[in-house]
Amino acid sequence: MDERDNDLRFLIDLARGRFSRRDALKASGALAAGAALGGGVSIRQLANVSAQDAEPVGEVVWALDAPPPNLIPYGAVSQAAWNGREFFYDSLVMWDQDLNPIPGLAESWEPDESGSYIFHLRKGVKFHNGNEMTAADVKYSMDMAIAPPEPGVAIAVLANITGTDIVDDYTVKINTATVDPTLVGNLAWGRYTAIVPENFYDTSNALSEAVGTGPMKLVEYVQDDVVVMEAFPDFWGDGIPCINKLTLKTLTEEQTRVAALRSGEIDGGTFTADTVMTLEGDDSLTILEGLVSIPNVIQFQTADADVPWRDARVRQAINKVIDRELIRQNVFGGKAELTGAIPPGYGDYPLTPEKLAELYANDVDAAKQLMIDAGFEDGFEVELQAIAAPRSYTQNAEIVSEAVKQLNIDAKVVPLEIGTFGDNNGSGAFQWQATGRGMRGDPSGYVIDFRQGTNQNVTWFGDGYNNEEFNTLYDEALAELDQAARVPMYQRMQEIIAEDAANLYLVQPYKFQAVNNRLTGMYVSFTDTNQGLRMACVTDTE
């Protein structure tokens, strides 16, 4: 290796975070050398140097605040389940950090004349068992995705897929019932479209085993405790993985995570805003923050025929007395943003802060008049269920409960553990709920529940909410392949939801993660996953 190679090697290590403080003095000279190597080598470009040029090194222990219940690749809806398996699996398409679809296991794709999609697969991609991925594996995987074996459940966002055809060993056609502009985004999300070896469910225990094409391969899974994995040397992606061993350790109590972080038992985890404030003075730690897709919402159930809030005027009155700034400051310490149905950060689709402020303007007198007009000036009693942990959902509910007292509404807050809360939510066994919405692969996923006749709409709204303008816009947007043309459609749909107060969207909080300084390259992902660990590296700080 000549001097130019040594300079490039240092630049690679610098880009990946593999350098100590005593090496920092080399940086200026190496950067100058980088310019000579090819007209200006950037750190961003060097971060994409292939894994063959830099062997994975070091071990990382990352804390999870909820235990992965299993490792099944298909039909597991909980965030905890995804957190346990996200490094084992890839999808045909990926997102970059700005949510632009980019090639994953498919090098390219295009719609055909029927509106279905042709995907051209990468050649030479290896599964963790050493077998090469082919079209047969993709067909098997997509068949499993749309009809997952138990305990997985069918996912509505894939319901338009009618099947997958093998064109040749490296080409597949995913057929759709209708023109589907959501397919590429839902594949890029990747949460429900992992690619596994053909007949995986016949040869492996999908609950506790994982065989994918991802950057890490499974070493050990202990339910409610740890998921241990190691770098997959034949991973197809450039510059990944950088970590040699990754352990996901379940630590449900936040103060336990704090103690483990301070002692060096773990290298990082997720923490509340209040706890992060106590960690900011620790020079051995780095605090990361960013918006994530968790729009907090008060959800109404209007399928019951005799509830007062079937009347839009009652819902609109409630909207006018809720002080979202109070929630933003008191619950999240100012670290949250106003949100509509589509949260800020999701491309061009969200409503502007100015529009949201207009839609959410407080007016107690107007609210009281709406209640009189609706015949409910004396108010009513209602049960407001809230997710017990994290505590923020219950705090949201408590602030809403206090606000609606101005309308003579007695909202009893009932905190519930997530299992019971989720069961009630899925079955419609609630009146109001303080909850949150997660990431979606397409903007339609954030608003589908308001489309009359869709699955959850029937359970949650019934005939208690129906807006024909919304229904028409929703259907038109699902038939439009031009993504730019869809933007104003979804913005108007969000305005309708807010004007009708079909549900009451509150704020989208920031997410906080604290990491040991030895871990570089980690970032808070908008998807609310830990995908930053795919890019992260271990470095010394001596």
Side-chain angles (χ1 to χ4, degrees), residues 38-39 68 106 110 117 180 221 307 346 354 363 450 482 526 535 541:
E110 69 275 346
Y117 281 82
D180 190 353
Y221 167 67
V307 295
Y346 197 86
E354 294 76 17
D363 192 334
F450 303 96
D482 183 344
F526 181 80
M535 300 295 296
T541 55

Side-chain angles (χ1 to χ4, degrees), residues 5-33:
D5 291 330
N6 284 327
D7 286 334
L8 180 59
R9 176 69 267 158
F10 175 75
L11 283 170
I12 292 169
D13 289 343
L14 179 65
R16 301 306 300 273
R18 291 180 182 166
F19 69 105
S20 66
R21 291 174 181 169
R22 62 178 174 268
D23 291 328
L25 292 175
K26 299 179 184 178
S28 58
L31 287 171

